[in-house]
Amino acid sequence: MDSIITHEHLGKTKNVKFAWHQETSSEYQSRIIEKKELQKWNFIHMIQMLYYVKDIPATLKFFHSLLDTEGKILIILVSGMSGWDKLWKKYGFRLPQNDLCLYVSSSDITQTLETLGIKYECFELLSTMDISDCFVEGNEKGELLLDFLTETCHFSQTAPPDLKAEIIEDLQRPGFSVKERGKTLFQNHLSFIVVEA
């Protein structure tokens, strides 16, 4: 469901300050350290962004240091119980590597937080995505879904046949997907990690 901000909401948020930074987290970190503009924040969100960070422990440690006394960080990313986690852990090293995305899930992040001694709570949002079209040879929607799942353009045409066959087979297995009313539903679970100051 989309959030709608109404006139009534605006009256309740007039004392809320929000800073929008259109830069990567490492660019932000470098800039504020260089300019000595370190300030404390009540709320920092990292929504679907830790996949794109080169040094996750350093990033978490840095942003945690910016929390005010009662501050929180909200991290949202794929769950360690999702089909994504299983797909990435099993096949990530065999898929084309690029510098844009790391294959990390909530299990990786919570392990890092524990290593850093940072307190957190983790909540799961269970969801599924219909990927039945992936198993219909030549189905355009299925081809695009495979591209999305593997983060590889034209995966069906460019992947080695054995890799494609293995992934197609695994996507239909428990742990990756569930079968419901004749459909294959990919386990698209998300984790919400709330980090304490």
Side-chain angles (χ1 to χ4, degrees), residues 15-74:
N15 294 325
V16 174
K17 294 179 185 173
F18 187 84
W20 183 265
H21 301 280
Q22 193 168 349
E23 55 195 346
T24 67
S25 61
S26 59
E27 290 169 344
Y28 174 76
Q29 181 177 345
S30 297
R31 180 177 57 77
I32 68 168
I33 289 173
E34 181 182 308
K35 293 183 176 183
K36 296 179 177 39
E37 293 177 346
L38 295 172
Q39 76 181 83
K40 297 292 185 177
W41 297 96
N42 293 313
F43 180 72
I44 298 169
H45 64 80
M46 299 179 159
I47 300 173
Q48 300 284 30
M49 61 79 71
L50 286 174
Y51 316 111
Y52 308 101
V53 170
K54 298 282 185 221
D55 188 344
I56 291 172
T59 299
L60 291 172
K61 190 174 179 179
F62 173 75
F63 282 98
H64 185 257
S65 76
L66 298 181
L67 286 178
D68 210 349
T69 310
E70 298 294 318
K72 307 270 190 260
I73 296 174
L74 173 64

Side-chain angles (χ1 to χ4, degrees), residues 164-187:
K164 181 182 174 187
E166 287 176 52
I167 288 177
I168 291 288
E169 187 176 321
D170 274 346
L171 286 174
Q172 299 177 75
R173 291 187 180 184
F176 291 87
S177 298
V178 293
K179 300 277 187 177
E180 197 173 289
R181 293 187 295 274
K183 295 181 184 257
T184 303
L185 304 175
F186 185 71
Q187 295 180 337

Side-chain angles (χ1 to χ4, degrees), residues 67-134:
L67 286 178
D68 210 349
T69 310
E70 298 294 318
K72 307 270 190 260
I73 296 174
L74 173 64
I75 300 169
I76 301 176
L77 74 167
V78 299
S79 169
M81 300 185 322
S82 70
W84 291 108
D85 186 66
K86 288 158 189 60
L87 184 68
W88 292 344
K89 293 222 177 356
K90 185 168 182 179
Y91 295 105
F93 71 98
R94 292 176 65 192
L95 295 171
Q97 299 293 311
N98 64 47
D99 290 335
L100 299 179
C101 187
L102 300 175
Y103 298 124
V104 295
S105 71
S106 64
S107 58
D108 302 304
I109 301 307
T110 55
Q111 184 177 23
T112 301
L113 291 168
E114 287 170 14
T115 300
L116 293 171
I118 296 175
K119 293 181 187 177
Y120 68 89
E121 286 185 85
C122 188
F123 306 91
E124 297 294 321
L125 174 66
L126 304 181
S127 68
T128 57
M129 174 174 60
D130 184 356
I131 61 167
S132 303
D133 289 336
C134 290

